[in-house]
Amino acid sequence: MDPLYSKYPIVIENTLTGKKEAFIPVSDGSVGMYVCGPTVYSDVHLGNARTFTSYDFMFRYFRHLGYQVRYVRNITDAGHLENDAEEGEDKIAKKARMEQLEPMEIVQRYTVDFHKVMEKLNALPPSIEPTATGHIVEQIQMIKTILEKGWAYQSNGSVYFDVENYNLKGGDYGVLSGRKLEELQAGTRVLDGQEEKRNPADFALWKKASPAHIMRWPSPWSDGFPGWHLECSAMSTKYLGEQFDIHGGGMDLKFPHHECEIAQNVASSGHKGAQYWLHTNMLTLNGKRMSKSTGNTILPNELFTGENPLLVKGFNPSTVRFFMMQAHYSSILDFSNDALMAAEKGHDKLLGAIETLKNLQPSKTSTFHIHDWVDRCYTALSDNFNSPILISHLFEAVKFINSSTDSTIGLTKDDLQLLIDKMNSFAFDILGLREQESSDAHKEALNKAMDLVIELRAKARENKDWDTADIIRKQLTDAGIQLKDGAEGTSYTL
RNA sequence: GGUUCCGUGGCCGAGUGGCUAGGCAAUGGUCUGCAAAACCAUGUACAGCGGUUCGAAUCCGCUCGGAACCUCCA
């Protein structure tokens, strides 16, 4: 049988070309995907969470279609320069001194925090999660190659990429971001240490460490540390090859980070690296950019607990994920308490219908064009990962499920099974939603207790003792349990 | 200031030359002891002003507003 990806070929918006293009992997049937991961020097930002959730969704979809996927997402633990200056200090080293901790202690703490947040959001671990500090050797090797080919120069123990020379010899620094080299030079601020460079647009491949700099490694040029952009070139090449399929990251990385990556790749191997570049869009909070200084900011964990003045309550991570999936990854998404509240209702309605679906019985004929529906769902997903359209189709099925009567759905046995399978695939395997987790033992105990309460209340209702019946319902509602009196008896939801 | 992008009904959010996206909220109805849930019905929205076109929310121009990048940032 043909794999699903040949039935529903993917089209991707390639930000390198600005066009939607048919996705044709370098190697048939497999996908190599590299995503720029977080810098682990502080709590993971909510925007990071959105970006990595978007790529997790794509990862899941590729796998679902039958591709063999290698998903590489790095951890930047070597720190980046705070500015381009000679005495520029590594962010991680700075924070370490402030808190009197070893740099790797900071790295460890925030890496663990990052993993916890992503786990809550039900993001699968990447296939490989390499660290910058673990690949100093590869980075030094790449610098050597670039130097040998004449695309870089040494200056005072540091090594810089020669952007002007690169473009004179046919390089196209600026392809990704649409920037012109002349404009870049004109717009560059005068910073300390610029005199080391031949051109303000040049960027560091290796920086000589100042005596105070804690994170440092020996190299042929100086004791120092790798430049801002090198780790991604080195690690993507190592794990995915000189030519691979997808490179992703947030919009904000487009320039200069990804622009420099392409230049480094071309300089060292003659290839651009990824064929398809993807950029996820930013997040705003109540219509404004997030900013710690104005208090317009929320941490992922605060979103889950509700411990933030901008939130009325906490939201479960699956709701947050659903909220993110309701918007396209390439659009700016605005977070607000109201928007989350609305998403929560929709999320619960969707999962509720999937729960209902389990208990429905098939009928002789089908009244829902299930194959057509499945087709439309896949078509939406394959059209540049359009999760909002998929969700709108899912709600079509929700309406159909909920309008089923007498415990019977208008689907034949096979069609019903198909609907169950696909709803599960789309909602859980691909969108990555999940039921509120509670232990089975817990659930069973609650079910038994609820059966008892419902039975007692049913007796009261038989006797038309409405006061008792209403008190029970009211108290349960206050406790967060909603009773629903239906034709077939009473059920409850949390 | 430069580069790029966006502005959709009460809110969130798809679409992007002619055909109902969807969710939430609201109103009416069905059901119910009453609720809740669910279902049915109801909104002729596309920042403003011009232009192109048989036809524009969708293309072009200007104006206003917002965002990202130009310095580490998903």
Side-chain angles (χ1 to χ4, degrees):
Chain A
M1 204 176 91
D2 285 342
L4 273 174
Y5 61 74
S6 56
K7 189 170 181 193
Y8 301 105
I10 294 180
V11 172
I12 287 179
E13 186 187 352
N14 190 351
T15 45
L16 185 62
T17 58
K19 293 185 183 117
K20 275 192 180 181
E21 298 171 4
F23 175 69
I24 301 161
V26 173
S27 170
D28 200 24
S30 63
V31 177
M33 176 160 96
Y34 187 93
V35 172
C36 291
T39 303
V40 282
Y41 63 81
S42 64
D43 288 312
V44 60
H45 182 96
L46 190 58
N48 285 256
R50 151 102 123 158
T51 292
F52 301 132
T53 302
S54 296
Y55 289 111
D56 179 65
F57 157 61
M58 295 176 203
F59 177 42
R60 285 164 174 273
Y61 186 54
F62 277 126
R63 297 208 317 180
H64 178 85
L65 285 189
Y67 282 111
Q68 186 191 317
V69 190
R70 182 179 292 168
Y71 171 28
V72 181
R73 186 185 65 205
N74 69 297
I75 293 275
T76 296
D77 60 348
H80 284 160
L81 286 173
E82 285 209 313
N83 56 41
D84 208 2
E86 165 74 62
E87 51 276 87
E89 185 177 30
D90 184 303
K91 269 191 172 176
I92 288 169
K94 186 179 182 188
K95 182 101 178 178
R97 263 211 304 288
M98 277 160 44
E99 302 192 3
Q100 299 294 310
L101 293 169
E102 273 297 317
M104 289 313 279
E105 211 172 342
I106 299 284
V107 164
Q108 178 70 14
R109 182 205 285 177
Y110 292 116
T111 299
V112 169
D113 169 73
F114 168 62
H115 285 157
K116 276 190 187 159
V117 168
M118 292 320 293
E119 208 285 316
K120 279 183 191 160
L121 285 167
N122 201 205
L124 300 169
S127 322
I128 301 175
E129 192 167 44
T131 61
T133 56
H135 297 76
I136 300 294
V137 172
E138 287 82 353
Q139 295 182 70
I140 289 175
Q141 189 54 50
M142 189 170 258
I143 297 171
K144 280 184 185 167
T145 307
I146 296 174
L147 270 171
E148 277 164 21
K149 294 193 175 179
W151 305 106
Y153 57 89
Q154 269 192 77
S155 179
N156 194 25
S158 295
V159 180
Y160 292 97
F161 191 95
D162 191 339
V163 175
E164 194 169 33
N165 191 231
Y166 172 75
N167 268 12
L168 281 175
K169 289 186 188 162
D172 50 3
Y173 188 83
V175 254
L176 223 208
S177 54
R179 284 175 162 80
K180 301 270 178 292
L181 196 51
E182 312 83 67
E183 289 165 2
L184 283 172
Q185 285 163 213
T188 307
R189 273 201 332 208
V190 181
L191 294 165
D192 293 336
Q194 290 289 4
E195 63 275 10
E196 277 187 4
K197 296 182 182 179
R198 290 181 189 166
N199 188 308
D202 292 350
F203 56 93
L205 298 176
W206 188 263
K207 284 292 284 184
K208 181 180 173 180
S210 67
H213 206 279
I214 309 173
M215 285 188 132
R216 58 203 299 151
W217 293 266
S219 80
W221 314 286
S222 64
D223 267 19
F225 49 96
W228 321 351
H229 318 296
L230 196 62
E231 57 178 279
C232 291
S233 287
M235 296 190 289
S236 63
T237 303
K238 172 161 182 171
Y239 296 111
L240 298 172
E242 291 176 356
Q243 288 181 283
F244 58 98
D245 304 304
I246 290 174
H247 190 124
M251 277 292 230
D252 49 349
L253 293 183
K254 210 168 175 183
F255 187 89
H257 186 60
H258 291 156
E259 195 72 61
C260 295
E261 258 191 74
I262 292 175
Q264 288 164 349
N265 288 347
V266 172
S268 66
S269 76
H271 298 297
K272 279 192 179 120
Q275 297 193 86
Y276 304 91
W277 283 80
L278 263 61
H279 289 94
T280 53
N281 218 134
M282 302 291 106
L283 212 61
T284 54
L285 224 202
N286 294 316
K288 297 282 170 198
R289 63 176 298 186
M290 283 203 211
S291 157
K292 278 183 192 166
S293 56
T294 59
N296 196 234
T297 184
I298 295 183
L299 290 172
N301 279 320
E302 293 172 345
L303 197 53
F304 304 149
T305 62
E307 286 163 11
N308 184 297
L310 298 171
L311 298 172
V312 171
K313 64 187 280 294
F315 296 92
N316 98 52
S318 184
T319 296
V320 174
R321 186 159 174 140
F322 176 80
F323 174 67
M324 290 173 172
M325 290 292 123
Q326 267 191 311
H328 190 84
Y329 75 85
S330 65
S331 301
I332 293 174
L333 175 62
D334 187 42
F335 257 75
S336 68
N337 187 264
D338 288 353
L340 261 317
M341 296 284 275
E344 185 173 57
K345 291 246 174 106
H347 170 267
D348 293 351
K349 185 173 172 181
L350 174 60
L351 295 205
I354 294 174
E355 193 64 30
T356 304
L357 186 58
K358 286 182 193 162
N359 302 316
L360 293 175
Q361 298 303 313
S363 48
K364 291 261 187 302
T365 53
S366 291
T367 57
F368 185 69
H369 293 180
I370 180 81
H371 291 278
D372 177 59
W373 175 81
V374 169
D375 223 61
R376 280 183 289 134
C377 289
Y378 278 113
T379 302
L381 284 167
S382 285
D383 181 11
N384 197 24
F385 309 99
N386 201 323
S387 54
I389 294 291
L390 170 71
I391 290 173
S392 78
H393 294 331
L394 257 31
F395 275 101
E396 246 178 78
V398 166
K399 199 172 255 192
F400 174 66
I401 292 164
N402 285 338
S403 58
S404 298
T405 49
D406 301 328
S407 305
T408 306
I409 191 166
L411 286 176
T412 62
K413 196 168 173 240
D414 288 352
D415 284 355
L416 175 58
Q417 194 52 50
L418 180 64
L419 181 59
I420 291 171
D421 289 349
K422 291 305 175 189
M423 281 298 266
N424 278 305
S425 291
F426 293 134
F428 301 121
D429 301 343
I430 297 172
L431 290 176
L433 307 178
R434 66 175 159 196
E435 306 274 2
Q436 268 285 52
E437 64 251 29
S438 58
S439 74
D440 287 348
H442 226 100
K443 227 177 202 168
E444 211 186 309
L446 178 64
N447 269 332
K448 282 185 178 160
M450 285 306 297
D451 285 349
L452 175 68
V453 173
I454 288 170
E455 197 186 318
L456 289 172
R457 181 162 166 275
K459 286 218 171 102
R461 292 177 73 208
E462 268 173 36
N463 298 331
K464 299 211 189 293
D465 180 2
W466 308 126
D467 286 348
T468 306
D470 288 351
I471 283 170
I472 291 173
R473 186 172 59 199
K474 172 79 167 59
Q475 299 267 18
L476 287 173
T477 303
D478 291 348
I481 297 170
Q482 188 65 248
L483 286 185
K484 290 186 260 189
D485 295 333
E488 326 258 322
T490 302
S491 61
Y492 74 94
T493 51
L494 289 174

